[in-house]
Amino acid sequence: AGADFESLNSLERAVQVSIRWLGRSIVAPTTTDAFTLCAITMERLLICDGESTTTETLSDRTAFLIGSSPDSRAAVHRAVKRLYDIRSKIVHAGYEGVEIPQLIEIENLALLTLREILKLSKTLTSHEDLKAMLLQTKFGLQDGVGKEK
């Protein structure tokens, strides 16, 4: 028996909701639907309640969460921007051309993001804590997630 949803902290609630979105992506009827649900998963994990989602914010946070070196962070940042642009075309223009490799790529990013946040959820108590930690990492106050310089 899990904890009551309202008793969870904001990060735990985000994890629980994102797992539902990710689960729905697995049974989605089309690759486009599955892709969109994976994008929603990442947004829910990395964007705080009441905060606007931007491509740059999502790309930065994903890169600093799962990238382990400057080169890998740059690659993740580029991938998320490219994939989020596809998500925007789906949502705003009705794009239906998602290919299997694109779906696999966003699924993998969503799973990696979830894995890293689950690891951190033992020490972070809110979405705002995650946001602050990733900002510190971005500006070099920490060397990678959870590792003090």
Side-chain angles (χ1 to χ4, degrees):
D4 178 42
F5 187 77
E6 294 305 315
S7 70
L8 301 174
N9 69 45
S10 61
L11 190 59
E12 292 167 334
R13 286 193 302 271
V15 165
Q16 192 174 76
V17 169
S18 70
I19 289 170
R20 285 189 218 139
W21 287 120
L22 193 58
R24 290 175 185 148
S25 77
I26 293 167
V27 296
T30 68
T31 56
T32 300
D33 290 347
F35 184 99
T36 304
L37 291 165
C38 288
I40 292 169
T41 297
M42 293 180 66
E43 288 175 273
R44 186 63 195 117
L45 287 167
L46 293 169
I47 305 300
C48 298
D49 292 337
E51 184 179 24
S52 295
T53 305
T54 66
T55 303
E56 199 64 29
T57 300
L58 194 65
S59 299
D60 279 356
R61 290 185 186 164
T62 307
F64 286 101
L65 181 68
I66 66 176
S68 59
S69 69
D71 287 343
S72 69
R73 288 177 180 157
V76 168
H77 193 275
R78 284 189 304 273
V80 173
K81 282 184 88 162
R82 179 176 40 77
L83 294 167
Y84 203 74
D85 285 346
I86 294 169
R87 172 255 179 228
S88 294
K89 284 176 24 182
I90 293 166
V91 172
H92 301 293
Y95 178 72
E96 292 280 340
V98 174
E99 298 176 7
I100 297 293
Q102 294 166 324
L103 175 58
I104 291 169
E105 188 175 17
I106 200 165
E107 282 177 342
N108 286 335
L109 286 168
L111 286 166
L112 287 170
T113 300
L114 178 60
R115 183 188 72 188
E116 292 306 312
I117 289 177
L118 283 170
K119 288 182 199 175
L120 293 167
S121 68
K122 293 172 178 45
T123 56
L124 299 177
T125 58
S126 73
H127 234 160
E128 290 295 330
D129 288 349
L130 174 67
K131 178 181 168 182
M133 185 206 61
L134 291 172
L135 192 61
Q136 287 178 335
T137 303
K138 177 179 178 177
F139 290 110
L141 302 172
Q142 289 182 333
D143 183 24
V145 171
K147 297 177 187 167
E148 294 290 330
K149 267 191 170 178

